[in-house]
Amino acid sequence: MSSRALRRLKGEQRAQAALHAVKLTEEDDKDEDEQMKSNTQTAQKQKNISNIFELIGEADADACPSDEELAEGINDGQQGAPLEKDSVKNEKSNKKKKKKKVPAENGKDNLGAGDNIDAILETVEKSKGLSHRSTDNSASEHRPVLYVEHRNLNPETELKRYFGARAVLGDQRSKQRQRQFHRCTWMTVYKDTWPRFSRPGISMSLVESKDGIQHFTFEHNREYQQVQFKFLDAVESMDPNNIVVLLQLNPYHIDSLLQLSDVCRMQEDQETARDLIERALYSFECSFHPVFSLTSGMCRLDYRRPENRAFYLVLFKHVIFLEKRGCPRTALEYCKLILSLDPDNDPLCMLLLFDFLCLRSREYTTLIRLYEEWEVHRNLSQLPNFSLSVALSYYHLSQQEDISPVENQQLKQKSNVLLQNALIMFPGALMPLLDLCTVQPDAAVSSHAFFGPSTQTGQPPALSELVSLYVGRCHSLWKEAGQLLWLEENVRKVIKRVDTHDPYVEDCQNKRKQRYQSAPRNIHRHVLMSEIKEATATLPLEVTTQPGMGFDPLPPLDSIASYTRPERQNTGASNESTISLFFRSLLPNFNLQRPEDRQEVARAGHELNQEVNRLMVAMRDMLANIQFREPQWEDNHDRDEEEWD
């Protein structure tokens, strides 16, 4: 029974006790002898009842009120209404002002029941208070590190914390009454500027449930498959207008929204690009399975299935837009969500982005906790971003003012040790980091062989890719004056350790030679989607020369296709776009039909690159051989003057 029902029952018992007390006072006026006896009984009852109110702290145990005081107390407890027989029926007024203190009343029949109700009420109130304190203090410690909160998935929650609700919402409050009803979603809110939503043909089904882990997958119905085939034809036409036309007919087609968002972003239309991604998120969330949960961390999606792949990509692009919008806390929550969908494989390698979002949102304890829990089975210290960012997190914690001097000293010492170990393990990250921070290093540092140019050129290609990604993304976090002084202090200590032949230096050198020979495919995919120029320049040739699409970058080699695209018939030149006709006029062997075999796709792309290179060389030679000759003028100057006259 709830506390509200218990209070209601208690009010009814008080009313019955009050009615019984009135009857007693009427009978006591008839006989004085019986009145003395009743006073003695009433005093005994009052002592018993006072113990009940001592239990909840609402009565004074030393006071022994008389009958008249009891009647006045009962009237006050019932909001000053006249105490009559009809007062039992007036229950609404008792509910509205039930927060007032009620003194002890006479009750003979329901004394035991009232005692039980008061004890239950006290237990409920205490349990509420304790649960509230535990929520504030230790709830976050008992939650999983990848726990996702629904309220943090809304960027308006973070913006309200920065600028206030009035600045964020604006005129939305007045428009909420006029807008139509739409499905309530957590990840995004339906906008009135969007087309009318109708189910595009995507659904989610439960594949299996094993050991508390539930595996889901998205599915496309037959109509959506036909739209998907038309989308692939539009992509191969190399004309974005075909995608726009397809999106007008199917406004919630996921891959079309993804591809058109990339086109708008390249044209520097960030608002439209972000709006298209939010529309895709809304379409996905409306097709969720009833059992699928965003916050439990026990739901899985297989990235090898193309239907699930689009959901990963939409979430990743949404994270990038949120971070650029100035909502790093919301972006961190979505990063946790993507990582929880497949924490073992991490197809988009969200661990390379997790530390950056934690530092941007000042969630230092979250980063340290993930590092400590996952270091045993994931070796996060072998990633440059975690090795450097965890040290920076300890440094920020040591700068807080609400900690004791002893704890401050411990955190500072911990940050120094971690930063020195990170610089010894990844010496090639120092000079590019200082360069992007526009800091001129000391001559003793720049001339030292340990941090010299040979260190950067001699590191393995996979390590160069990871270091370039971290430096290009996180260099803005190291620009504060205090952090640079802290970095300079530890760099000098590292040089001393190197000069004294510390065994840890040789150990890290051997690890760099044995590891980081080749990066896995998910790291290449992350670098391509992040579009950080410092990291993109370090990608191997087998990745850069491979043809890829924005709606499916570097698909897995073991992809699981639930349906296949039918073979295309050769179409005439009349159905081709202007760009394709231009290439066909220049290159007779140019063919836009994409082969099904992966090797044929690579060979066709290589042949196309060769033909384009030959064309560019021929055009360059033609332009170089063009000579402009001056006109031959006759020597008859008189004739020229006459003509001008």
Side-chain angles (χ1 to χ4, degrees):
M1 183 180 294
S2 63
S3 59
R4 181 180 297 179
L6 291 173
R7 290 191 181 93
R8 182 178 178 182
L9 180 59
K10 184 178 179 181
E12 294 178 355
Q13 292 176 355
R14 288 174 178 172
Q16 293 177 2
L19 182 61
H20 182 70
V22 171
K23 292 180 179 180
L24 288 177
T25 55
E26 292 178 354
E27 293 176 358
D28 290 341
D29 293 337
K30 297 180 181 179
D31 194 356
E32 295 180 355
D33 297 335
E34 295 178 359
Q35 186 176 1
M36 296 295 297
K37 296 180 181 180
S38 63
N39 289 335
T40 305
Q41 294 177 357
T42 304
Q44 295 177 356
K45 292 178 182 179
Q46 290 170 0
K47 293 182 181 180
N48 294 331
I49 296 174
S50 64
N51 294 330
I52 300 174
F53 287 92
E54 286 177 0
L55 186 64
I56 59 175
E58 292 186 355
D60 189 3
D62 297 334
C64 296
S66 61
D67 293 342
E68 297 178 356
E69 293 175 350
L70 284 174
E72 293 177 359
I74 294 171
N75 292 334
D76 294 336
Q78 297 180 354
Q79 296 85 32
L83 188 61
E84 298 175 355
K85 295 182 180 181
D86 296 334
S87 62
V88 180
K89 300 179 181 179
N90 191 6
E91 297 179 355
K92 294 184 180 180
S93 60
N94 295 333
K95 295 179 183 178
K96 291 181 180 179
K97 297 184 179 180
K98 60 184 177 182
K99 294 184 179 180
K100 290 186 177 181
K101 295 182 179 180
V102 182
E105 68 264 12
N106 291 329
K108 183 177 180 179
D109 299 331
N110 298 326
L111 182 61
D115 192 2
N116 295 333
I117 294 173
D118 291 337
I120 294 174
L121 283 174
E122 180 191 14
T123 305
V124 171
E125 294 297 334
K126 286 185 178 181
S127 63
K128 284 185 178 181
L130 292 175
S131 63
H132 181 69
R133 297 190 193 97
S134 62
T135 302
D136 295 338
N137 297 331
S138 61
S140 59
E141 298 179 358
H142 298 288
R143 293 173 180 173
V145 67
L146 297 180
Y147 179 79
V148 178
E149 296 185 18
H150 276 137
R151 62 186 181 89
N152 290 331
L153 292 175
N154 188 1
E156 291 185 356
T157 304
E158 187 172 3
L159 293 176
K160 289 177 186 177
R161 188 163 60 249
Y162 296 153
F163 308 106
R166 181 174 299 178
V168 175
L169 297 178
D171 298 335
Q172 295 182 11
R173 296 181 177 179
S174 60
K175 295 180 180 179
Q176 286 180 354
R177 298 179 179 179
Q178 302 176 0
R179 68 179 184 180
Q180 298 179 356
F181 173 76
H182 299 284
R183 179 174 178 176
C184 181
T185 53
W186 289 107
M187 295 190 295
T188 185
V189 181
Y190 182 86
K191 298 181 181 179
D192 297 334
T193 56
W194 290 353
R196 182 178 179 181
F197 178 77
S198 60
R199 295 193 176 275
I202 301 178
S203 60
M204 178 184 280
S205 62
L206 178 62
V207 179
E208 64 175 353
S209 180
K210 184 178 180 181
D211 298 332
I213 305 297
Q214 298 172 336
H215 296 266
F216 296 87
T217 182
F218 287 99
E219 295 178 349
H220 297 167
N221 61 10
R222 188 174 298 274
E223 295 180 358
Y224 193 91
Q225 294 177 11
Q226 298 299 324
V227 177
Q228 186 72 13
F229 298 151
K230 294 178 181 179
F231 165 74
L232 296 177
D233 296 340
V235 171
E236 292 182 354
S237 67
M238 298 184 182
D239 189 0
N241 294 324
N242 294 334
I243 302 178
V244 175
V245 173
L246 180 64
L247 201 57
Q248 290 177 351
L249 299 176
N250 305 276
Y252 290 92
H253 182 254
I254 303 299
D255 288 345
S256 298
L257 293 171
L258 277 171
Q259 194 71 17
L260 193 59
S261 176
D262 289 341
V263 174
C264 295
R265 183 175 48 82
M266 293 177 183
Q267 296 177 355
E268 298 183 356
D269 189 359
Q270 301 291 335
E271 188 67 24
T272 304
R274 180 169 58 88
D275 185 77
L276 294 173
I277 293 299
E278 291 179 356
R279 196 197 302 181
L281 269 180
Y282 182 81
S283 179
F284 267 124
E285 191 169 2
C286 290
S287 62
F288 280 171
H289 193 275
V291 186
F292 184 79
S293 175
L294 296 172
T295 61
S296 64
M298 309 299 289
C299 299
R300 302 289 184 266
L301 286 175
D302 193 353
Y303 189 81
R304 295 176 299 174
R305 297 181 179 272
E307 298 87 351
N308 301 338
R309 219 173 290 161
F311 184 60
Y312 279 91
L313 299 177
V314 169
L315 288 176
F316 186 90
K317 293 180 183 295
H318 190 53
V319 168
I320 300 300
F321 281 121
L322 286 173
E323 193 276 326
K324 292 181 179 179
R325 191 182 176 186
C327 301
R329 182 65 183 86
T330 310
L332 176 62
E333 212 69 15
Y334 278 97
C335 184
K336 292 180 183 179
L337 174 60
I338 300 174
L339 196 56
S340 66
L341 294 177
D342 194 355
D344 296 331
N345 299 319
D346 193 9
L348 297 184
C349 209
M350 300 305 297
L351 289 176
L352 298 179
L353 182 63
F354 190 88
D355 62 298
F356 172 71
L357 296 176
C358 286
L359 292 174
R360 287 272 284 110
S361 59
R362 301 180 180 179
E363 294 289 333
Y364 308 123
T365 55
T366 302
L367 177 60
I368 294 174
R369 182 184 174 189
L370 179 71
Y371 176 79
E372 293 176 350
E373 293 182 5
W374 287 29
E375 169 63 18
V376 179
H377 63 282
R378 297 296 290 270
N379 293 326
L380 297 182
S381 60
Q382 304 304 310
L383 295 175
N385 60 313
F386 267 91
S387 185
L388 291 167
S389 295
V390 171
L392 187 59
S393 297
Y394 275 105
Y395 170 78
H396 283 297
L397 290 178
S398 66
Q399 300 300 311
Q400 296 180 355
E401 299 178 354
D402 55 346
I403 58 176
S404 62
V406 177
E407 188 177 2
N408 185 359
Q409 188 66 22
Q410 293 177 354
L411 292 173
K412 190 66 178 297
Q413 185 177 1
K414 181 73 172 179
S415 63
N416 292 336
V417 173
L418 290 175
L419 182 59
Q420 294 174 22
N421 294 339
L423 292 174
I424 293 175
M425 185 65 191
F426 309 105
L430 178 63
M431 301 306 293
L433 181 63
L434 296 178
D435 188 17
L436 291 179
C437 293
T438 63
V439 175
Q440 184 66 29
D442 192 2
V445 178
S446 58
S447 61
H448 201 278
F450 190 72
F451 295 111
S454 59
T455 303
Q456 302 178 25
T457 57
Q459 59 187 0
L463 182 58
S464 299
E465 185 177 352
L466 292 173
V467 169
S468 301
L469 179 67
Y470 175 77
V471 172
R473 173 177 284 158
C474 301
H475 67 275
S476 60
L477 303 175
W478 293 83
K479 288 187 175 182
E480 296 183 5
Q483 298 172 4
L484 293 176
L485 292 175
W486 170 63
L487 178 62
E488 180 183 1
E489 177 186 353
N490 286 277
V491 167
R492 296 185 183 278
K493 293 181 181 179
V494 168
I495 293 177
K496 291 181 180 179
R497 294 176 61 179
V498 173
D499 294 338
T500 55
H501 303 285
D502 192 335
Y504 185 74
V505 178
E506 185 178 359
D507 185 24
C508 292
Q509 186 177 0
N510 295 331
K511 289 181 180 179
R512 288 196 301 270
K513 292 180 180 179
Q514 297 175 2
R515 304 170 182 175
Y516 311 106
Q517 296 301 322
S518 61
R521 197 173 180 85
N522 59 344
I523 293 181
H524 296 326
R525 188 182 299 118
H526 180 91
V527 172
L528 284 175
M529 297 181 63
S530 300
E531 296 183 353
I532 297 176
K533 59 181 181 179
E534 291 84 3
T536 307
T538 60
L539 288 172
L541 292 177
E542 58 267 17
V543 176
T544 56
T545 58
Q546 182 177 353
M549 299 295 178
F551 63 91
D552 192 8
L554 286 182
L557 299 178
D558 55 348
S559 179
I560 302 175
S562 58
Y563 60 93
T564 57
R565 180 186 179 189
E567 297 182 359
R568 292 186 59 197
Q569 298 179 356
N570 293 329
T571 57
S574 59
N575 294 332
E576 298 181 0
S577 63
T578 305
I579 299 177
S580 61
L581 291 175
F582 171 72
F583 277 96
R584 186 176 294 278
S585 64
L586 296 177
L587 307 173
N589 295 330
F590 179 76
N591 186 11
L592 282 177
Q593 183 177 0
R594 184 175 67 179
E596 296 293 332
D597 191 13
R598 188 174 300 277
Q599 296 180 355
E600 294 182 3
V601 171
R603 185 171 63 254
H606 183 65
E607 292 177 357
L608 176 61
N609 291 334
Q610 289 181 349
E611 298 248 356
V612 172
N613 291 333
R614 293 196 194 105
L615 176 63
M616 297 300 296
V617 171
M619 294 180 64
R620 192 181 299 111
D621 294 340
M622 181 182 66
L623 294 175
N625 294 330
I626 294 178
Q627 297 180 359
F628 295 94
R629 297 181 180 179
E630 296 182 359
Q632 298 292 334
W633 298 100
E634 298 180 358
D635 296 336
N636 191 356
H637 299 285
D638 298 336
R639 182 180 178 183
D640 294 340
E641 293 177 358
E642 293 176 357
E643 290 179 356
W644 283 106
D645 293 339

